[in-house]
Amino acid sequence: MKGFAVSLLGLWLVPLVALAQQPADFNTITSVTVNGGTVEITGSKKPDFNSFTMTDPPRLVIDVSGAVFQGVAEEQPVGNGTVTGIRTQAYGTESSSIARILIGYEREVETDIQSSGNKLVVKVLGSGGGTAVAQATPAEGQGTPAQQGTAVAANTPSGASAQDAARAAASDREAQEKAVKAAADAARAEREAQEKAAAEAAARAKADADAERKKQEDARLASQRQDEERRKSEEAAVAERKRQEEEAQAAAKRAEDERRATAQAAADQKRQREEEAKTAAEQKKAAAQAAADEKRAAAQAAAEERQAAAKTAAEQKKAAAQTAAEEKRQKDEERRAAAQARREEQQSAREAAAEAKRQQAAEARERRQQQTVASRESRARPSQGSAAAESRESGGGAVSSRRKTMTLVGFQQQPDSSRVFVRTNEPVRYSVSGSGNQVVLELENTRVVESNNTLPLDTHFFPSAVSRVEAFSGAGNTVRVVIQLKQGVRYETRQEGGLITLDFPRPGR
């Protein structure tokens, strides 16, 4: 019987699923020990279990939930008269592992299962703890003939005949054969049931594994999608931040350009007002000088007339009166002509100022664009075949050796001519040369301090022979004022103190 029970343990199902990873929160079973009829199962935490019994042969099955084995043999033969052997197996998924302990007994027993801390203690109740079934009858064909004879003799009643003993032995053999066949059938049925359960468990394990893999794949795809969305979001954020920075830089550049343009326009307006104020002052001074000259001439003429009248007092009294009346009339006409000339000059100045103001913006742009070109033209301009012959004039008497400063270059319309004037802080030695349609005024030992005085004057809008005026710092300590003409004409140069004027007749006069 004992050999038969041990052979049935060998038919127990092998573990269905080997767990590759054992999470730290599982109950790890480290030992299963047998002491007589008592079995102790030791784990890492308090066990959560259930149990059931099986017959033919007698067995007790204990399933510990959320548990795995560590260092425990899958099969432990015992054969101590009560426990035939121990069989262990683990199955299930990583998230729901079950550790199964199967205890085989020699006969049907009643057990008591107690949980004590991290241990499960399985005890056999009653007298099953001793050496049980030690006198079980051996199976047919087992043991020596002497042993078989002894066994038969032990089971034969005293005084029975050999024939009765033979019939009893045959009956026992038939009973044993039937028992063996029934046990084999039960073992086969149990094996088939276990194989079916194993197949089902394997299918469930595979399904769980497939579900877990699908879950992990879904999680991986979701993670990839999240990473892609996050990457796109980050790229969009970077692009948006770059666009905002570019817009901010463009706005700052526009603001700076507008500020510079406003400052330049204000500077141009200020310079224009200063030039207009200086021009008006010069015109006023010139008018005052002309009036003084007229007054001196009239006084001189009156003195001469008085002398002539004294010499011819008697004879020419009447003539003197007529002469005085004629002179008075002439002076009145001269005064009227001078007043008319001043009015025309003022009107021309106002018209020039208005025209200059209207052309201010265009002139400013054109001056900046043509400054470099004009510089090259003024330094090396080929002869245009002007009607005026090439000439060179020098001026300036005794002057100091100090270095002079050119303070103003201007243009003024006269009744019959156009005037280009240059003002210095004191008299300066100069020279004038003309070639073709270009006249150059060169100031010796002179410098230009304010950059506005080097800006070109575009005068081609006026009815004048002068087309453009521009000043440069020349070689050495000289200043060159280049006057570009529309056509070659004769001109007159004059210096009065720190003022040098060049008068060009209007075309057609």
Side-chain angles (χ1 to χ4, degrees):
M1 184 67 178
K2 178 179 177 181
F4 178 72
V6 172
S7 66
L8 291 179
L9 289 175
L11 299 176
W12 184 254
L13 180 64
V14 295
L16 302 178
V17 178
L19 300 179
Q21 297 180 353
Q22 300 179 1
D25 59 347
F26 279 1
N27 183 358
T28 303
I29 298 174
T30 57
S31 70
V32 179
T33 61
V34 180
N35 184 11
T38 302
V39 179
E40 289 188 357
I41 303 169
T42 304
S44 60
K45 58 194 298 187
K46 185 176 181 179
D48 178 12
F49 69 96
N50 56 59
S51 64
F52 60 92
T53 61
M54 302 177 68
T55 59
D56 294 330
R59 288 156 292 170
L60 173 64
V61 180
I62 300 174
D63 286 342
V64 183
S65 301
V68 293
F69 292 105
Q70 182 176 345
V72 178
E74 294 182 357
E75 184 174 350
Q76 300 181 41
V78 179
N80 62 4
T82 301
V83 179
T84 59
I86 304 293
R87 184 75 177 180
T88 62
Q89 67 171 354
Y91 62 94
T93 64
E94 293 182 1
S95 59
S96 60
S97 178
I98 296 177
R100 171 169 289 182
I101 302 97
L102 184 145
I103 306 172
Y105 293 102
E106 292 284 357
R107 63 183 181 279
E108 297 291 341
V109 295
E110 184 177 357
T111 59
D112 177 45
I113 305 174
Q114 297 290 334
S115 174
S116 177
N118 296 343
K119 291 184 177 182
L120 272 179
V121 180
V122 182
K123 295 182 179 180
V124 176
L125 300 178
S127 60
T131 304
V133 296
Q135 298 174 351
T137 303
E140 182 180 3
Q142 294 181 350
T144 62
Q147 291 173 338
Q148 294 179 6
T150 303
V152 172
N155 288 281
T156 301
S158 179
S161 64
Q163 186 176 3
D164 293 335
R167 283 196 297 269
S171 178
D172 288 339
R173 283 196 299 273
E174 290 177 0
Q176 288 175 2
E177 289 174 357
K178 290 180 180 179
V180 169
K181 183 178 180 181
D185 292 340
R188 185 171 53 256
E190 178 65 19
R191 187 171 58 254
E192 291 175 354
Q194 289 177 355
E195 289 175 354
K196 182 178 180 182
E200 292 176 354
R204 286 195 299 271
K206 184 177 182 303
D208 292 342
D210 293 342
E212 184 66 20
R213 283 196 299 274
K214 186 176 184 303
K215 181 179 179 182
Q216 292 176 357
E217 181 66 16
D218 293 342
R220 185 182 65 79
L221 295 177
S223 177
Q224 289 181 352
R225 287 194 296 271
Q226 290 176 355
D227 292 341
E228 182 67 18
E229 292 175 357
R230 181 169 60 255
R231 183 183 63 77
K232 291 182 179 179
S233 177
E234 291 175 354
E235 291 177 354
V238 169
E240 179 64 18
R241 185 163 58 251
K242 183 177 180 181
R243 184 186 63 78
Q244 292 177 355
E245 291 175 355
E246 291 176 351
E247 290 181 354
Q249 291 175 358
K253 186 177 184 301
R254 288 195 298 271
E256 180 65 17
D257 294 343
E258 292 176 357
R259 185 189 65 76
R260 291 180 179 177
T262 303
Q264 183 64 33
D268 293 342
Q269 291 178 357
K270 182 179 179 181
R271 183 184 60 79
Q272 184 66 24
R273 288 195 296 270
E274 291 175 352
E275 291 178 355
E276 291 176 355
K278 290 179 181 179
T279 302
E282 291 174 357
Q283 291 177 350
K284 183 177 180 180
K285 183 177 179 180
Q289 183 66 33
D293 292 342
E294 290 177 358
K295 187 175 181 180
R296 285 195 299 271
Q300 184 177 358
E304 292 175 356
E305 290 174 357
R306 283 194 297 272
Q307 290 176 0
K311 292 179 181 180
T312 58
E315 298 174 338
Q316 297 181 354
K317 185 177 182 179
K318 184 176 179 180
Q322 293 177 351
T323 301
E326 181 64 23
E327 288 177 354
K328 182 179 179 181
R329 183 184 62 79
Q330 185 177 358
K331 285 188 284 187
D332 290 342
E333 290 179 355
E334 289 177 354
R335 285 195 293 272
R336 286 194 297 272
Q340 180 66 26
R342 285 195 297 275
R343 286 193 297 272
E344 291 178 356
E345 182 178 352
Q346 293 174 354
Q347 180 65 24
S348 298
R350 286 193 296 271
E351 291 176 356
E355 181 65 21
K357 188 174 181 180
R358 284 192 300 270
Q359 299 299 325
Q360 180 179 357
E363 291 174 5
R365 289 192 299 271
E366 188 173 352
R367 283 197 298 271
R368 287 193 297 270
Q369 296 173 354
Q370 298 180 355
Q371 184 173 2
T372 304
V373 177
S375 176
R376 291 196 295 269
E377 291 179 353
S378 64
R379 287 185 174 83
R381 183 183 297 276
S383 174
Q384 301 295 326
S386 171
E390 179 178 358
S391 64
R392 182 176 184 86
E393 301 178 3
S394 298
V399 297
S400 67
S401 60
R402 293 186 300 272
R403 191 174 182 182
K404 287 72 176 177
T405 301
M406 187 189 76
T407 59
L408 181 65
V409 176
F411 173 81
Q412 183 179 13
Q413 284 284 72
Q414 303 291 336
D416 296 329
S417 63
S418 300
R419 172 172 293 179
V420 177
F421 59 90
V422 178
R423 186 177 297 280
T424 57
N425 61 338
E426 59 180 276
V428 64
R429 188 177 302 280
Y430 70 92
S431 63
V432 182
S433 62
S435 176
N437 292 348
Q438 181 174 285
V439 176
V440 179
L441 169 64
E442 188 169 298
L443 308 179
E444 300 178 2
N445 195 23
T446 307
R447 61 183 177 181
V448 180
V449 177
E450 297 183 3
S451 60
N452 286 342
N453 290 328
T454 60
L455 297 176
L457 300 178
D458 187 359
T459 61
H460 75 279
F461 298 101
F462 298 101
S464 168
V466 180
S467 174
R468 184 185 181 89
V469 181
E470 190 170 5
F472 303 93
S473 294
N477 295 331
T478 62
V479 174
R480 291 166 51 88
V481 180
V482 179
I483 305 169
Q484 190 68 34
L485 304 177
K486 299 176 182 177
Q487 62 185 45
V489 296
R490 297 185 179 276
Y491 54 89
E492 295 181 0
T493 307
R494 180 184 303 174
Q495 182 180 29
E496 294 182 2
L499 180 66
I500 301 175
T501 59
L502 291 87
D503 293 331
F504 298 86
R506 293 187 181 181
R509 294 186 178 239

